[in-house]
Amino acid sequence: DYSDIKSLNVSIRDGLSYSIVPNPDGEITEGYGEYLLTGVYSFDAPVLSDELADNVGGPFYEITAVDFIDTPQEGVDYGLDNPAMVLSATDNKGNECTITIGNTCADDSTKVYAQFSGKDYMCTVLKEKTDKIKNTKPFDIIGKYFINDSADAFSEITVKDADFTGTYSLDAENSSVTLNGEQADMSAFTEIYKSIAAVTMDGEKKLEPGEYVGELVLTYRSGEVLTLRFMEYDDNYYAVERNGVCEFI
């Protein structure tokens, strides 16, 4: 049951392996963050629901047997012993399904050989559906914001560069904020936080980052800390190190 999914897993030969799982904290906003991408980046990334449905979930759900092969033919390499891709899913009712994807059919390039878990026979499925999943880039299905929380989720936010360190301490219950121990204007902080929350991942890092530029240190009320360090990258972007790992610009 795709609407009650527990995990959806993709393993590509000589490529990525990842899972899509429900967000235990629930949807961040409508169409965003209901599911998380795990196994690709150093953190579980919130997923865009429409992109997930178009690129992975929909094609996965639509994979159906086209031709049935009860008896394997001599000399045909079906590719199921070293599959091109393995897809699996479980739902919260305990249903499970694994689809093993083999080679492209020799006599019809629009189909690939496949086998469904619990079935002795092989079959063919449409290559259009399996290629859609195989060619999906994880970066294209995730949300691009580093921060997905409102300001009242944090107890402290530090803004720092080589010349300045400013620590905002937040009192959510009293709607007040201090900057380096001095009372600060809440409306001014709100504008600053809007800029902080608007920082986005605009691409995956391809080059090695340069010199340190500055950082944001955000301390959640729970005590968890998120550190974003910015380094020189090129004329248009900074590289961003998230909790010690640099994956995005």
Side-chain angles (χ1 to χ4, degrees):
D1 182 355
Y2 180 56
S3 67
D4 191 31
I5 202 160
K6 183 177 180 180
S7 70
L8 188 158
N9 313 290
V10 177
S11 180
I12 301 171
R13 184 179 64 205
D14 302 323
L16 291 171
S17 294
Y18 60 86
S19 298
I20 304 293
V21 298
N23 186 346
D25 297 326
E27 194 174 41
I28 294 170
T29 189
E30 185 176 356
Y32 176 45
E34 181 182 2
Y35 298 100
L36 302 174
L37 171 74
T38 73
V40 177
Y41 303 114
S42 61
F43 63 101
D44 295 343
V47 168
L48 299 165
S49 299
D50 286 347
E51 295 297 328
L52 172 63
D54 289 345
N55 291 283
V56 182
F60 194 157
Y61 190 72
E62 293 163 1
I63 294 173
T64 56
V66 178
D67 307 302
F68 296 91
I69 304 168
D70 294 315
T71 305
Q73 297 179 29
E74 290 289 337
V76 176
D77 182 9
Y78 294 99
L80 297 173
D81 292 333
N82 183 26
M85 186 165 58
V86 177
L87 309 172
S88 63
T90 61
D91 68 18
N92 288 306
K93 300 179 180 68
N95 300 307
E96 300 181 14
C97 180
T98 297
I99 310 172
T100 303
I101 307 298
N103 294 336
T104 302
C105 296
D107 58 351
D108 189 341
S109 62
T110 68
K111 302 173 187 176
V112 292
Y113 298 112
Q115 188 164 30
F116 288 77
S117 56
K119 306 298 182 184
D120 294 330
Y121 54 78
M122 288 184 289
C123 61
T124 65
V125 300
L126 291 179
K127 192 171 186 290
E128 173 190 5
K129 302 300 182 183
T130 60
D131 275 359
K132 185 74 171 178
I133 300 170
K134 184 178 179 180
N135 296 331
T136 294
K137 295 179 174 59
F139 186 77
D140 293 340
I141 68 171
I142 64 170
K144 304 303 187 289
Y145 291 99
F146 281 98
I147 300 162
N148 295 293
D149 302 278
S150 60
D152 59 13
F154 303 98
S155 60
E156 281 190 353
I157 297 176
T158 296
V159 181
K160 182 179 180 181
D161 65 14
D163 302 315
F164 172 78
T165 299
T167 297
Y168 293 93
S169 297
L170 311 175
D171 184 347
E173 293 180 0
N174 296 306
S175 299
S176 65
V177 60
T178 62
L179 172 58
N180 293 341
E182 300 293 330
Q183 196 68 36
D185 180 65
M186 178 58 82
S187 60
F189 166 76
T190 299
E191 293 304 310
I192 290 171
Y193 184 75
K194 286 180 182 178
S195 296
I196 292 172
V199 176
T200 53
M201 298 174 281
D202 294 316
E204 294 179 321
K205 176 183 72 71
K206 305 297 184 185
L207 309 173
E208 287 306 308
E211 296 296 318
Y212 167 88
V213 176
E215 64 189 77
L216 297 170
V217 182
L218 300 100
T219 303
Y220 287 85
R221 297 174 70 180
S222 65
E224 181 184 355
V225 177
L226 171 63
T227 301
L228 303 176
R229 298 182 76 248
F230 301 89
M231 285 85 70
E232 296 287 356
Y233 187 76
D234 62 20
D235 292 340
N236 298 308
Y237 298 97
Y238 291 124
V240 185
E241 183 184 277
R242 184 187 189 278
N243 285 350
V245 181
C246 188
E247 297 169 300
F248 302 102
I249 57 172

